[in-house]
Amino acid sequence: MIKSLAVLGSTGSIGVQALEVARLHNLKIEALTVGSRIDILENQIREFLPAVAAVADENAAKELRIKVADTPTKILSGADGVAECAACGAESVLNSIVGIAGLAPTVAAIEAGSDIALANKETLVAGGKFVMSLAKEKGVSILPVDSEHSAIFQSLQGCADKKQIKKLILTASGGPFFGRKKEELENVTLEQALNHPNWSMGAKITIDSATMMNKGLELIEAAWLFDMPAKDIDIVVHRQSIVHSLVEYSDNSVIAQLGVPDMRIPIQYALTYPDRFESPVRQLDLTEFGTLTFEKPDYETFVCINLCRRSFEKGGLYPAAVNAANEKANELFRQGKIGFLDIARAVSHALETAPQNDDYSLGDVFETDRLIRSQTERLFL
Ligand code: NAD
Ligand code: MG
């Protein structure tokens, strides 16, 4: 098992659970980074005493520097400080930053030769081409933390030849609005959208689950991680979130990973792979659930899934564009500035207007992100 770890986004839903796993297995925390929540970070610094920590927000970093002056931890700031923490050289860097802000730190960590435990799916959606080839070049592993991708990764253990994989099947909870039609979603509130049936997560991904954009992003994430064409990745709605995803092989045998919905299982597996250890997660008692259901997604209502699929098939900067539009629109919805269905409208608009460029650089990805964000804002204001 790895001995040293950096946690990027340590105050978030995944970050806090990652530190719980680290505490349980006595991992040395080399670096911690956050956006702006310095109250929680201060406690984490006092417990784990990392060599460095970074706060993206400059003012919050200044405040924290004074608060933890009695500790050995050096406090860095801004996006550069976060990237410097990512490049601290820990054996594994768990990236649980939310959004495109996670992409540059992932690249920095790979450059430094660390293995990546990846929760930040936006890293692969927008920058998959660069992240996967750089990881290969540097000989580092990208281990999925996202539960569906961890399930697929676990179901692929023992597969000797990639040609024997026929299909990846991602399960989706369906979110809080499963079964509703488009007309019924026009006026849903933020509170309703934040009410996820099975998972307690950060606000951005919870809204992504309500629009099912999350499943579209995950389709692209899976395509990059497992080098599969989008046409061979299916989505099935499974309301109970017990079967976390499946792999169909050439003999039509299907292997799945199951467990109660608790992110500490995939987090721990990404840190202990290929070994397994005791975990605080409760055992799965199938009889407690009785019935597991599987249904087709309603693609007419939850259009974001196929918008993502199409963006990946178009290639180039299209996935970065739909990701940027979604991030901006998701934020505007959470601020009460636009309606729920406007999120899909923004994503659809981005797919039509994204810059066409097959020979794009990582710089073009960031530029597209900026461009589509401001375009999305103008669309509504
Ligand atoms: P969250 O909002 O709870 O936490 C996000 C973390 O990122 C916080 O620590 C925040 O301080 C930090 N952050 C925000 N902006 C930053 C910036 N500019 N620079 C540096 N750090 C910044 O989010 P979450 O639910 O933990 O999700 C994190 C990532 O993991 C997302 O990409 C999400 O899609 C993915 N993920 C989450 C879950 C889950 O169960 N929460 C499951 C699968 C995948
Ligand atoms: Mg997931």
Side-chain angles (χ1 to χ4, degrees), residues 54-360:
V55 185
D57 182 278
E58 302 277 355
N59 288 330
K62 257 186 220 150
E63 210 181 304
L64 181 68
R65 223 167 264 137
I66 297 164
K67 284 183 186 239
V68 298
D70 60 318
T71 70
T73 304
K74 184 175 163 194
I75 306 298
L76 306 174
S77 65
D80 290 347
V82 173
E84 203 175 318
C85 282
C88 67
E91 277 175 86
S92 171
V93 173
L94 186 140
N95 186 348
S96 55
I97 292 173
V98 59
I100 192 76
L103 175 55
T106 302
V107 172
I110 299 172
E111 291 276 11
S114 298
D115 283 335
I116 310 292
L118 190 65
N120 178 259
K121 61 194 84 185
E122 297 90 347
T123 277
L124 288 177
V125 172
K129 179 174 98 167
F130 302 97
V131 170
M132 294 314 288
S133 62
L134 187 64
K136 201 168 172 192
E137 183 192 320
K138 298 282 174 187
V140 313
S141 305
I142 309 231
L143 297 160
V145 168
D146 211 347
S147 57
E148 296 78 2
H149 305 74
S150 175
I152 289 171
F153 183 62
Q154 295 183 54
S155 303
L156 285 171
Q157 298 306 311
C159 168
D161 185 351
K162 213 184 137 264
K163 287 205 279 297
Q164 296 164 5
I165 307 167
K166 197 187 260 182
K167 241 183 215 173
L168 306 181
I169 304 162
L170 293 170
T171 53
S173 72
F177 301 137
F178 178 75
R180 299 219 205 164
K181 291 288 166 204
K182 210 179 224 172
E183 323 70 83
E184 300 171 85
L185 296 180
E186 190 73 67
N187 296 316
V188 293
T189 64
L190 176 60
E191 200 189 352
Q192 289 169 319
L194 283 174
N195 186 22
H196 196 280
N198 304 339
W199 298 96
S200 160
M201 311 179 284
K204 191 260 178 184
I205 184 177
T206 305
I207 299 304
D208 284 347
S209 300
T211 57
M212 292 193 79
M213 179 74 186
N214 185 50
K215 215 43 61 179
L217 298 174
E218 291 188 349
L219 184 147
I220 301 173
E221 181 187 12
W224 283 116
L225 268 177
F226 306 111
D227 190 23
M228 288 291 280
K231 71 170 178 44
D232 295 336
I233 306 175
D234 282 358
I235 291 162
V236 57
V237 175
H238 166 49
R239 294 295 282 159
Q240 300 78 24
S241 299
I242 296 298
V243 178
H244 296 303
S245 280
L246 319 87
V247 177
E248 183 180 301
Y249 287 92
S250 44
D251 57 357
N252 291 341
S253 175
V254 178
I255 299 189
Q257 184 257 340
L258 286 72
V260 295
D262 189 317
M263 289 306 293
R264 291 172 299 181
I265 290 181
I267 290 169
Q268 177 165 302
Y269 193 66
L271 300 179
T272 65
Y273 167 80
D275 295 313
R276 292 181 186 273
F277 292 87
E278 289 280 313
S279 137
V281 176
R282 76 188 168 93
Q283 279 176 284
L284 172 64
D285 175 1
L286 280 171
T287 62
E288 187 188 310
F289 294 91
T291 309
L292 298 181
T293 58
F294 301 93
E295 297 162 77
K296 282 198 172 72
D298 173 357
Y299 291 110
E300 303 274 302
T301 302
F302 299 96
V303 294
C304 288
I305 306 174
N306 278 337
L307 292 172
C308 285
R309 185 185 286 278
R310 230 173 300 140
S311 79
F312 186 75
E313 285 165 349
K314 285 171 87 133
L317 293 161
Y318 286 96
V322 298
N323 179 66
N326 177 62
E327 269 187 41
K328 189 69 208 178
N330 181 313
E331 183 189 324
L332 292 173
F333 174 69
R334 279 181 284 134
Q335 292 168 343
K337 293 180 178 162
I338 65 172
F340 183 74
L341 292 180
D342 289 330
I343 301 175
R345 288 187 191 112
V347 174
S348 173
H349 187 256
L351 187 63
E352 282 158 27
T353 54
Q356 219 168 340
N357 180 355
D358 286 333
D359 186 27
Y360 61 105

